[in-house]
């Protein structure tokens, strides 16, 4: 089932939230499609277990053959393990961090990605989509060392990858959170483990405050909208995480 996040003047943003669930063998993950006129981009298309249903569902809204971009926030298997199949079924170009552009071909048969990967430089870039663009925003070390989020200036949606993830929300991942307080217990443990340090979160929050964000949509769990957007930006800059918690006890030879 596709969840419509935005639909106006030929610009459509769709979310697919239930192709894998937390109760199964794999973690719940969201996939996204941005359509603009007669072209489209898929964001974090996921692994092989999501591919068949995602391809069929996309076909109800947009011919998959017209996909021109595959955008990958980083190179984890829940992001692009299905890359070989997308390289076969479409003519799309993969955009991924320069750190991962020579690792991504390992998901594919030899030669399948030749001339079809564009490495995103560390400062990010603007990616054309028809007569508009998607903006790759630096999100390094949240949690991957080469990591990007994708900002859509038309819908004002930030596709935030692993930042903003909530766990235990598989059944209601399609329902936007509009007030953050009750949602924090579903987010805190994940961010304290998977984000590298408070420093990078504070730097990200400074960047995010400069954007007119209407919705933050992570790769796992529920989107955030309304008041929850600014509440999240303020909250995330306050938490200790990753290396902030480490001591020598974490680096000891097992008994």
């Amino acid at each position: 089932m596709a969840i419509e996040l935005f639909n106006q003047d030929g610009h459509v943003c769709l979310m697919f939230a239930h192709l894998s669930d937390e109760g199964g063998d794999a973690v719940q993950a969201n996939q996204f499609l941005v359509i603009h006129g007669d072209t489209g981009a898929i964001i974090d298309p996921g692994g092989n277990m999501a591919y068949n249903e995602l391809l069929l569902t996309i076909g109800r809204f947009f011919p998959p053959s017209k996909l021109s971009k595959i955008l990958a926030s980083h190179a984890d298997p829940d992001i692009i393990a299905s890359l070989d199949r997308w390289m076969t079924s479409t003519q799309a170009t993969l955009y991924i961090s320069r750190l991962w552009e020579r690792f991504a071909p390992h998901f594919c048969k030899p030669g399948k990605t030749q001339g079809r990967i564009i490495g995103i430089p560390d400062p990010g870039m603007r990616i054309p989509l028809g007569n508009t663009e998607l903006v790759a925003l630096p999100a390094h070390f949240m949690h991957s060392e080469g990591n990007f989020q994708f900002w859509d200036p038309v819908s004002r949606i930030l596709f935030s990858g692993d930042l903003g993830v909530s766990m235990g929300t598989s059944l209601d991942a399609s329902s936007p959170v509009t007030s953050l307080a009750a949602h924090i217990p579903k987010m805190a443990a994940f961010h304290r483990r998977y984000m590298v340090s408070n420093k990078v979160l504070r730097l990200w929050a400074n960047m995010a405050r400069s954007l007119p964000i209407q919705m933050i949509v992570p790769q796992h769990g529920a989107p955030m909208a309304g008041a929850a957007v600014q509440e999240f930006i303020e909250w995330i800059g306050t938490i200790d995480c990753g290396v902030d918690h480490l001591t020598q006890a974490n680096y000891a030879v097992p008994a």
Side-chain angles (χ1 to χ4, degrees):
M1 183 181 74
I3 299 132
E4 189 176 275
L5 302 175
F6 183 88
N7 188 342
Q8 187 174 313
D9 299 327
H11 190 89
V12 182
C13 299
L14 300 172
M15 171 178 166
F16 308 86
H18 299 296
L19 303 185
S20 62
D21 288 313
E22 290 173 6
D25 293 332
V27 67
Q28 183 273 339
N30 303 321
Q31 299 82 34
F32 310 99
L33 175 67
V34 179
I35 301 168
H36 187 81
D38 61 355
T39 190
I42 191 168
I43 300 175
D44 291 348
N48 286 305
M49 60 173 29
Y51 173 79
N52 286 335
E53 189 172 347
L54 181 58
L55 184 69
L56 289 173
T57 306
I58 284 175
R60 298 172 192 161
F61 299 90
F62 181 82
S65 61
K66 290 190 176 183
L67 281 172
S68 62
K69 310 285 191 300
I70 298 170
L71 310 183
S73 56
H74 55 293
D76 280 359
D78 60 322
I79 300 291
I80 54 164
S82 60
L83 182 62
D84 184 75
R85 302 176 78 175
W86 290 104
M87 291 283 107
T88 300
S89 60
T90 76
Q91 296 300 310
T93 298
L94 173 68
Y95 287 75
I96 194 168
S97 167
R98 282 182 179 170
L99 291 183
W100 299 120
E101 64 178 316
R102 295 184 65 200
F103 291 84
H106 284 278
F107 287 112
C108 300
K109 297 179 181 65
K112 189 72 70 70
T113 59
Q114 188 170 1
R116 297 178 64 187
I117 298 180
I118 293 178
I120 304 173
D122 279 353
M125 65 183 293
R126 295 176 181 270
I127 301 169
L129 188 67
N131 62 1
T132 187
E133 62 187 9
L134 299 174
V135 184
L137 297 173
H140 308 304
F141 299 104
M142 296 185 293
H143 64 101
S144 172
E145 55 268 42
N147 194 50
F148 288 93
Q149 299 168 345
F150 300 102
W151 158 249
D152 177 10
V154 178
S155 66
R156 297 185 174 183
I157 292 173
L158 177 64
F159 298 96
S160 60
D162 279 312
L163 189 71
V165 161
S166 54
M167 308 304 290
T169 56
S170 178
L171 294 178
D172 58 355
S174 59
S175 301
V177 171
T178 56
S179 179
L180 195 69
H183 196 55
I184 288 174
K186 298 176 181 178
M187 307 171 71
F190 177 92
H191 287 82
R192 290 193 172 106
R193 178 61 193 249
Y194 281 84
M195 302 296 113
V196 167
S197 71
N198 175 261
K199 177 181 178 178
V200 296
L201 296 180
R202 286 187 283 108
L203 295 174
W204 176 86
N206 290 338
M207 177 183 67
R209 290 186 189 102
S210 72
L211 293 171
I213 301 171
Q214 292 292 318
M215 185 178 290
I216 296 175
V217 187
Q219 198 231 345
H220 306 281
M224 289 170 278
V229 169
Q230 292 304 316
E231 289 169 356
F232 175 78
I233 292 170
E234 297 309 314
W235 172 75
I236 199 65
T238 68
I239 69 169
D240 292 330
C241 56
V243 297
D244 301 330
H245 294 290
L246 296 179
T247 68
Q248 188 62 62
N250 298 106
Y251 294 88
V253 177

